[in-house]
Amino acid sequence: MGALINGSDFASEEITKSLVEVAHDQQEPLAIQAPIVSSYNERIRPLLDCVDRLRSLKVMQEGIQLPTIVVVGDQSSGKSSVLESLAGISLPRGQGICTRVPLVMRLQSHPSPQPELSLEFNGRVVSTDEEHIAEAISDATDEIAGRSKGISNVPLTLTVKKDGVPDLTMVDLPGITRVPVHGQPEDIYEQISAIIMEYIKPEESIILNVLSASVDFSTCESIRMSQKVDKTGERTLAVVTKADKAPEGLMEKVTADDVNIGLGYVCVRNRIGDESYEEARAEEAMLFQTHPLLSKINKSIVGIPVLAQKLVQIQATIISKCLPDIVRKINDKLAASVAELNKLPQKLNSVPEAVTAFMRIISSAKESLRKILIRGEFDEYPDEKEMHCTARLATMLSKYSDELQSISIKSEQKQNFLEEEISILEEANGISLPNFLPRAAFLALLQKRVKAISAAPAEFVDKFWEYLQGVLAPVLTKHSDNYPSIQSSIRRATQNLVCKKREQSVDWVLQIIDMEKLTDYTCDPEYSATWHKLMARQDTFMELINDDWKPTNMEIDGFGAVEIGHLRNHVLVARQAFDLKMRMTAYWKIVLRRLVDCMALHLLFSIQNLVNKDMEAEMVNDLMGPYGGGVERMLEESPSVADKRCRLNRSIKLLRESKETVAVIMDGIAAYGD
C-alpha cells in the first residue's frame, strides 16, 4: 500500500487502465428496462466511493479539487425532472427555487429490493424512504438555509441505494433566476451565480447543463455561465428536456451546436403527472421512435438510459484523469502541512522549558547580531540594505568625518587670513621675552575650534543609537516571533538598553570634548612633519608683507591663494601669527582624526558589549522584574499560534484519512489487475 499511495507512475497507470476499460465496457447501447438499467460495475463503484469519501471528508477545503458532475440550469428548465428520472425518486417541487443548497446526490446500484435513502447534513445522518424523501429534503434545506426563500452554500448529501439506478455522484445547484420573488433577497441572482461559478470553475468539474427544448439555447443563462469557464465546451454535456413540448427544430438545434457543447446533447422526455418511472421510460422510448420529428434524432442521443450511460462513461473518464493527480496533491499538501506544523514553536508545558526557550531566543538573536553588527555578514537579510550594518556604520562614520572637516573650514572662512590668530595673540600678550609664542594663545585658539565642532559628535552618537535601535527591534522580534507574550518585555528591554548606551556615549563624547579643550598633546610625528612643511613658506610670507610694492596675495599649501595686504599693519605680530596658524593647522588634523578614530573604537566597543553582555542581562532583568511577568507568560500560547496549530492538526488528520482512503482503493486496483 505504501508504494502505491506515494503517487507512483505504476499506480497512475493502473487507475487509467482500469477506468479506460470501464468506459469501454459501457459503450454498448443500453436496453430499456424499468426504471433504468444499472450502470454498475465492480471497478466503478469502489472508485466512485473513494471520491465520495474524499468529498465527505471535506478534502476540498484543503484546496484539492475532486472530479464532480455539476448540474446547472435555468429555473423551470426541468432540472429536477431529469434528476428524479435518474434517481427514481421524487424531489421537492413548487413555485420558485426548490433547490436552495448544493445537493450532492450519491446514486448507488443496490441489489436489495428495499431502497435505502439517507440525508447527511450538519454533521449527522438522517434515514428516510421514497415516500417521505421530498419532505425530508425540504426540512433539511430549511435547517441549513432557513425557512425563508434564501439560499446557502452549505451542501446537503443525499444517498440513494436502489436497484437499477446508475452509479453516479452529481451536485445539483439552485436554478438560475434573475428576478427575486417575495421572500427572496434582492441579490438572489448574484448569490446563485457565485455558488454556480464556484462549482463549475475547477477544471475537474463536468458541467451537466439542463436546457428546455422550448427556449433558444444561446439565450440561456446557464449556457452563458458555463461558457465563461469552459469556452471550448470540452467538459460540458447538455440535457434537453421537454422534447415532447417543443419538437419543432429540436434536431437542428442539437446537431448545429451553436453554443459549443463539447460532450454532446441528450434529449429526454420529462415524467408527466402520476406516471410511474417505468411508464415514463416506456413513453419516452415510444416518443422518440414514433414521433414524426423526434424519431429523426439519432438514437444515441435520446432517452434517460442513454443519459445515464453517458454520465457513467464521463464519470469514469474524469476519475481516470484526476485520481492520480489527487493522490499527488494529497501527498504534497500533507507534507507541506506537516512541515509547517514542525516549524511552529514547541508547546511549552513547564517553567524549565520556558526558560530554555527564552535562553534559546537570546542565543539565536545574539548570533544574528554578531553576524550583522560585528562580522559584516548579511545572508539573513540579503535584500534589506539597512540591515547590512557594518557597511552602513562605515558610511555613517565617513559622513561624520566629512562633517567635522566641513564645520572647521566654514569657521575659518568667516575671517581674513591670520585675523583670528593676531587677535588672540594681542589679547594673550604679557610682560615676557619677545618672539616666544604664548601657550595661552594656542590653547585659546584650540578651545575655540573645539567648541565650534562640539555639537557634531553628540549628534552623531544620537544618530548611531537611533539606527542601532532600528536594527535591534526587527532582529529580536524575528527570533521571539513564536512567543508574542514576551515581545512587549523584549521591546521594553531593548529601548531601555539603547537609552542607557546612548547616555553612556553622550557622557563619553562630552569627556572627549573637554579633554581636547583642556590641553594640547600628541606624540604623532605627523604633527612636526606637517608644521615644518607649512613653515617653509614663512620667510617668503614675511618678505611680501614687509614690502609694500610686492603683491598682496600669495599661494600657501593647504590654504590656496590668501590675501595678505591687511597684514602690513600687523608686521610685528605677523610672524608669530603665521607660526600659530601653522601649528594649529598641523595639530587640528590630529584632533579631527582623533575624534573620528576614538568614536569608531568607542562604538565598536559599545556594540561588542551590547551583544555579548548587556543585551542578555537587560532582557533577563526586565522579564524577571516587577513588570516583566516572568517566563511563565511563555507558557501561554498566543491565540494565533494556537489556532494555526489546531488548523494544521485538523488538516493533517483529514489528509491522512484521505490518503488512507485512496490507498485502499489503489491497492484494490493493483490486486484486481493481478
Side-chain angles (χ1 to χ4, degrees), residues 489-550:
S489 180
I490 288 177
R491 282 194 296 269
R492 184 169 55 247
T494 303
Q495 292 169 355
N496 291 340
L497 177 60
V498 170
C499 185
K500 291 177 183 177
K501 301 297 284 186
R502 178 188 283 113
E503 289 176 359
Q504 291 174 6
S505 291
V506 169
D507 289 342
W508 174 84
V509 163
L510 294 178
Q511 289 180 354
I512 290 294
I513 295 298
D514 285 343
M515 284 190 288
E516 292 294 353
K517 289 179 181 177
L518 179 65
T519 187
D520 51 329
Y521 174 77
T522 181
C523 63
D524 192 335
E526 186 178 342
Y527 164 72
S528 297
T530 302
W531 176 68
H532 284 298
K533 181 179 178 181
L534 292 172
M535 289 296 289
R537 298 282 287 167
Q538 187 181 39
D539 291 340
T540 304
F541 168 76
M542 293 305 299
E543 288 178 8
L544 288 176
I545 65 171
N546 281 318
D547 189 344
D548 292 340
W549 298 100
K550 293 284 179 77

Side-chain angles (χ1 to χ4, degrees), residues 397 400-401 404 591-601:
L397 203 64
Y400 165 64
S401 176
L404 291 180
V591 172
L592 293 182
R593 186 182 304 148
R594 196 155 54 201
L595 289 175
V596 175
D597 290 348
C598 289
M599 181 69 77
L601 294 174

Side-chain angles (χ1 to χ4, degrees), residues 143-161:
E143 185 172 329
I144 295 172
R147 294 191 176 276
S148 63
K149 296 183 179 180
I151 64 172
S152 170
N153 200 13
V154 177
L156 166 64
T157 299
L158 166 64
T159 300
V160 179
K161 297 181 179 180

Side-chain angles (χ1 to χ4, degrees), residues 550-561:
K550 293 284 179 77
T552 59
N553 58 69
M554 71 173 292
E555 191 79 20
I556 300 178
D557 291 343
F559 299 94

Side-chain angles (χ1 to χ4, degrees), residues 54 111 166 188 252 264 274 300 311 378 438 482 503 521 561 567 613 622 630 632 643 649 655:
L54 292 177
I188 187 68
E252 289 74 14
D274 295 330
S300 66
L311 289 174
F378 48 85
N482 291 327
E503 289 176 359
Y521 174 77
L567 298 175
K613 298 188 302 183
D622 190 279
E632 291 86 353
D643 290 345
N649 280 322
L655 290 166

